[in-house]
Amino acid sequence: FFSIWTMAATTTTTIHRLLLFVTYGLCLICLDLTSAFPLPAFGRSATSPVASATPSTVHLYSYLDSLNGGGGSNSIDPVVTAPTPPSPSQEFQQVPILSLKHADAIASAAIGVCERNGFNPVTVVVLDASGSPLVSKRMDGCSPVVVADMALSKANSCIVNKYPSRTFRDRYTAEPNQAAKFCQLTSMVAISQGRMAPFPGGILLEYGEYIMGAVGVSGAAGDEDEYCAIQGVMEASIPGLTTVPETHSCTTVKD
């Protein structure tokens, strides 16, 4: 600075003197910047050219680094963390299902109940919660025509309505002079193309709050069909599995 000042004072050319004074002024501005922006030098290594520089020079390097977006060795890049994917227990609902083993045990037990009580031969159909057949068993002597379709329709009614096939009938026929409700009942059966049946013999299977499936029995009297279905589930002894209805209305039981 002293040399610049001396040259400016001794030169005889006005333009040269002006340029020297401008240079002197710029040097002073640089010094002011280094003191005005005392930014730390993040982790400068001992081999860095800034490590052995004066404090004011270090501050100037830090300021320039900040203006350049932190492109130097002291910059800290932001870490973009990907969102943590949900665990399977959070993403999917864990729902119990009725297995083929369960369905087979129920159907076999229902047939045993029918034989033990001397009812007419029956067909037993067990559906899962989606209404898909798991097991269909027809006793010897049971008609192969229509009866199996009725057992399936009874079970389907339970899946669709979420209540027994007996209740499907009673909801629309229990009150007298209710032609509109009876018309609705017959229309529902027609729209389903016979896949719903409004008479006893179909029961709902539940496990706590979950609907597990349905059982449809046909071939004997309606109350007897329903009894075979309920008692078959009980005798299958599947832990936690309950029926709707829980009790039967059959008066011809011999057990």
Side-chain angles (χ1 to χ4, degrees), residues 67-85:
L67 292 181
N68 291 330
S73 60
N74 60 350
S75 62
I76 302 177
D77 296 330
V79 178
V80 180
T81 304
T84 303

Side-chain angles (χ1 to χ4, degrees), residues 201-222:
I203 66 170
L204 197 66
L205 302 178
E206 292 184 337
Y207 182 84
E209 61 180 355
Y210 298 103
I211 293 177
M212 301 291 290
V215 180
V217 178
S218 186

Side-chain angles (χ1 to χ4, degrees), residues 38-102:
L39 300 176
F42 298 101
R44 294 287 186 180
S45 63
T47 59
S48 172
V50 184
S52 59
T54 61
S56 61
T57 309
V58 172
H59 294 160
L60 180 57
Y61 271 108
S62 300
Y63 172 65
L64 294 176
D65 281 344
S66 65
L67 292 181
N68 291 330
S73 60
N74 60 350
S75 62
I76 302 177
D77 296 330
V79 178
V80 180
T81 304
T84 303
S87 63
S89 61
Q90 295 172 330
E91 187 175 0
F92 301 106
Q93 183 182 11
Q94 304 297 317
V95 179
I97 61 172
L98 190 69
S99 69
L100 176 61
K101 181 179 179 180
H102 294 153

Side-chain angles (χ1 to χ4, degrees), residues 18 25 29 43 49 73 80 89 92 111 117 128 162 174 178 213 239 242 249:
L18 180 61
I29 291 173
S73 60
V80 180
S89 61
F92 301 106
I111 289 175
N117 285 272
D128 64 12
K162 297 180 173 57
Q178 292 290 332
T242 59
S249 302

